[in-house]
Amino acid sequence: LSPLKIGPVTVRNRTFLSAMVGNFIEREAEGWWDRYRAYQVEITKGGVGYIVMSEMGIHPTQCKYEMPVPDMRHVPFLRKLTDAVHEHGGTIFQMLHAMGREAGPFYTRKVLWAASPIPGMTMEVPHEMDKDDIKEAIAGYRSVAEVVKAAGYDGIVIEGGGTFLIGGFLSRWANKRTDEYGGSLKNRARFALEVSEAVRQAIGPDMALGMAFSVDEVSPYEDGAITLEEGLEIGRIYDESGLFDLLECRIGSYRELYTCWAPDSFTPQCFGTYGSKEVKK
C-alpha cells in the first residue's frame, strides 16, 4: 500500500485496475461516459490507487462495439470523469486501443486494417495497411492523445499486445510484410515506436506514458508467435527508446483468449507473472 512513482506521476498505492471492456459508453443524449464515471468513482472510493480506463479507439477502422473515436467535443464529459477520480485521491490513465484485425466490422461498417491480410477472430480478411494508412493511424493516435491530455488524465497506456494493431506488427505470424515494417524485429517494432513518439509529442513530459505488450504469446498454433526470448528483446527496444515510464507485461494474446487473455477459475493464480519478472531482470 506504499506510494509508487510512475514517471512524473505518483500513485497513492500499488493496487491496480487494468483496462477491460466495460460496455458503459452511452449515446451523447444520455451523457457520454456518465456510467463509466460512476463506476470509476466507486473503484476509487474503494481504495484502488491506479486505474487504466479502456474503450477508446483511435480510428474508425479500429473500434469494436459502438465505441466512438473521441474528439475535442468529448473533453467536457471526460473531464468530469477524471475530476471525479482525482477528487477521491485516485490516478487514472487512458488506454489507446487499436483493434486491428480484431475490430468489429459489423459495428463500424469499415474494412479492417492490419499489418498483413491474416484474419482474426471474426475470420474476416483485413486490408494490409499501406504507408498512407500507417501515417493516418499514427495521426489518429496523436489526435486522441491530445484529447486525453485536454481531459485531465494522468497518463496513457498504449495497447501493444494481443495481436491487435500494434501487436500484429510485432508478431511474425501476423506480420508477413517485406517493407521496413516487416522482417526483422527492429522493423516489426518500427510502427510501435512511431506511434509512441507521436503520443509522447502530444502529451509532453508532464503525463506518464506506458506500453502494454505480450512478453510471450504462449501459442502452440501459430508459427512465428512471440516467444519469451523475443518478448524480452521487445522489452529492451522499448526500454532503450526512452519513451516510456511504464511497461505492462502480458502473456498470451487475443487468440489465446480463454487460456491466457481471460483465464477462468481453474487457472493457477499468478500464472503469468514470469513475463514481468524476466523483463524486470
Side-chain angles (χ1 to χ4, degrees):
L1 296 178
S2 59
L4 176 67
K5 190 169 177 59
I6 305 175
V9 177
T10 300
V11 179
R12 64 180 173 181
N13 62 53
R14 299 167 189 239
T15 57
F16 167 47
L17 179 68
S18 182
M20 62 183 73
V21 176
N23 286 334
F24 287 140
I25 292 177
E26 296 127 324
R27 302 271 185 257
E28 185 171 3
E30 300 166 314
W32 289 117
W33 287 284
D34 273 357
R35 292 172 63 211
Y36 223 150
R37 181 176 75 250
Y39 172 70
Q40 304 292 22
V41 166
E42 289 303 311
I43 295 294
T44 305
K45 284 181 178 178
V48 170
Y50 163 47
I51 293 169
V52 179
M53 181 170 146
S54 189
E55 298 191 282
M56 195 169 282
I58 56 90
H59 189 272
T61 64
Q62 295 303 310
C63 296
K64 196 161 190 175
Y65 313 117
E66 296 178 81
M67 302 181 290
V69 177
D71 55 41
M72 286 299 175
R73 69 194 168 100
H74 294 169
V75 167
F77 303 102
L78 290 166
R79 172 65 78 166
K80 288 171 64 178
L81 189 155
T82 60
D83 284 349
V85 169
H86 292 150
E87 180 183 346
H88 295 283
T91 299
I92 185 164
F93 286 26
Q94 176 62 58
M95 175 166 277
L96 302 190
H97 196 356
M99 294 289 294
R101 64 177 44 77
E102 307 297 353
F106 27 82
Y107 291 107
T108 65
R109 298 295 189 265
K110 303 290 185 184
V111 174
L112 299 181
W113 281 9
S116 296
I118 297 173
M121 298 289 273
T122 67
M123 300 309 295
E124 180 163 332
V125 178
H127 159 68
E128 179 171 309
M129 296 169 68
D130 61 27
K131 301 296 176 56
D132 289 337
D133 299 330
I134 289 172
K135 290 178 182 177
E136 190 172 332
I138 292 170
Y141 277 99
R142 181 186 296 109
S143 177
V144 177
E146 291 169 350
V147 172
V148 170
K149 180 178 182 178
Y153 284 82
D154 299 291
I156 283 174
V157 175
I158 298 169
E159 173 57 85
T163 59
F164 297 120
L165 187 63
I166 290 176
F169 272 85
L170 283 165
S171 187
R172 282 187 294 113
W173 82 260
N175 183 346
K176 307 299 183 185
R177 302 175 72 97
T178 57
D179 62 4
E180 66 266 37
Y181 292 93
S184 68
L185 181 56
K186 180 180 178 181
N187 281 358
R188 285 181 278 126
R190 189 184 306 276
F191 178 64
L193 293 177
E194 289 179 352
V195 164
S196 303
E197 287 169 358
V199 171
R200 175 56 83 187
Q201 289 170 6
I203 65 176
D206 297 329
M207 289 176 64
L209 179 60
M211 173 66 82
F213 71 106
S214 296
V215 182
D216 183 355
E217 289 187 331
V218 200
S219 176
Y221 309 111
E222 282 90 17
D223 181 33
I226 293 170
T227 62
L228 179 60
E229 181 180 11
E230 191 168 47
L232 293 176
E233 285 299 321
I234 294 170
R236 288 189 188 96
I237 289 171
Y238 288 153
D239 185 41
E240 291 170 1
S241 74
L243 292 166
F244 304 106
D245 304 297
L246 164 75
L247 294 180
E248 184 179 322
C249 304
R250 310 245 187 92
I251 68 165
S253 77
Y254 200 64
R255 293 178 71 82
E256 285 73 48
L257 190 63
Y258 302 109
T259 57
C260 297
W261 207 251
D264 61 24
S265 59
F266 294 98
T267 306
Q269 290 190 357
C270 302
F271 76 106
T273 57
Y274 69 88
S276 56
K277 286 179 181 177
E278 291 300 317
V279 170
K280 287 174 77 173
K281 288 179 184 178

